[in-house]
Amino acid sequence: MRLVLLGPPGAGKGTQAAILSEKLGVPHISTGDLFRKNIGEGTPLGVEAKGYIDAGKLVPTDVTARMVESRLAEDDAVDGFLLDGFPRTVEQADLLTEILRKKDVALDGVVQFKVSEDVVVERMLARGRADDNEDTIRTRMKVYRDETAPLIDHYGDKIIAIEAEGSVEEINERTMTALGK
Ligand code: ADP
């Protein structure tokens, strides 16, 4: 299956993606994880991305899209993937469509994790990642509302909406059911 996971920062996409990846047998491709790996290794891409990430802003689309395209070209992603963190804007969604069209494939669906703002702020403060301070969280929530939420309309009937408050297991079961698995 070729799926995009959509939801505000702190919605639990990464946690659900790890479980879904195992159950569906497709790789979990997280742009946040790819950036953090590059930052850790001090690659040129990591150096470029770090300032944006620390400020809670989006990394420029050309940099991000190139990183995603090369990851999608790896063997394990040929038959399917879970994309977590990309696309985050309508512009990125159009680029993804283009990347997939060149491979003669398309998305099977877009899983939208629905969760209230109070819950996501609580979850992010609890996980305490380097970019999880209150200012950055507020910036990322605004970026989500302004730039990412419009993807819900953009994807229209490709959207598979999941109520994402509850236990990790409950949310996973809801998702598997919604995917017909
Ligand atoms: P969260 O889901 O909590 O926002 P991520 O790990 O997905 O965390 O992303 C962390 C940061 O990485 C984002 O705040 C942003 O700076 C950068 N980033 C991730 N994906 C993208 C993307 N598709 N386009 C631009 N920047 C991105």
Side-chain angles (χ1 to χ4, degrees), residues 122-141:
E122 207 175 284
R123 285 184 190 168
M124 280 192 281
L125 288 173
R127 93 186 156 182
R129 209 169 66 196
D131 59 342
D132 283 343
N133 62 68
E134 249 185 281
D135 274 359
T136 316
I137 291 173
R138 218 169 286 126
T139 306
R140 276 148 62 206
M141 293 304 294

Side-chain angles (χ1 to χ4, degrees), residues 31-32 34-60 63-64 67 129-133 136 140:
T31 46
L34 289 172
F35 282 131
R36 283 185 288 275
K37 181 165 180 280
N38 277 277
I39 291 170
E41 291 169 355
T43 68
L45 184 127
V47 171
E48 180 166 4
K50 187 173 188 315
Y52 296 98
I53 291 176
D54 286 348
K57 293 182 180 158
L58 293 182
V59 178
V63 179
T64 310
M67 178 177 79
R129 209 169 66 196
D131 59 342
D132 283 343
N133 62 68
T136 316
R140 276 148 62 206

Side-chain angles (χ1 to χ4, degrees), residues 81-147:
F81 52 76
L82 299 172
L83 255 184
D84 165 12
F86 187 92
R88 259 178 154 89
T89 64
V90 171
E91 185 195 14
Q92 292 184 0
D94 290 338
L95 284 171
L96 177 62
T97 304
E98 189 57 29
I99 291 168
L100 297 178
R101 207 181 48 80
K102 283 193 262 172
K103 301 175 182 290
D104 256 329
V105 300
L107 290 176
D108 294 303
V110 176
V111 180
Q112 180 204 354
F113 292 104
K114 297 177 73 171
V115 48
S116 74
E117 198 157 314
D118 286 349
V119 170
V120 298
V121 172
E122 207 175 284
R123 285 184 190 168
M124 280 192 281
L125 288 173
R127 93 186 156 182
R129 209 169 66 196
D131 59 342
D132 283 343
N133 62 68
E134 249 185 281
D135 274 359
T136 316
I137 291 173
R138 218 169 286 126
T139 306
R140 276 148 62 206
M141 293 304 294
K142 182 169 164 37
V143 171
Y144 177 78
R145 276 195 302 269
D146 294 350
E147 307 215 39

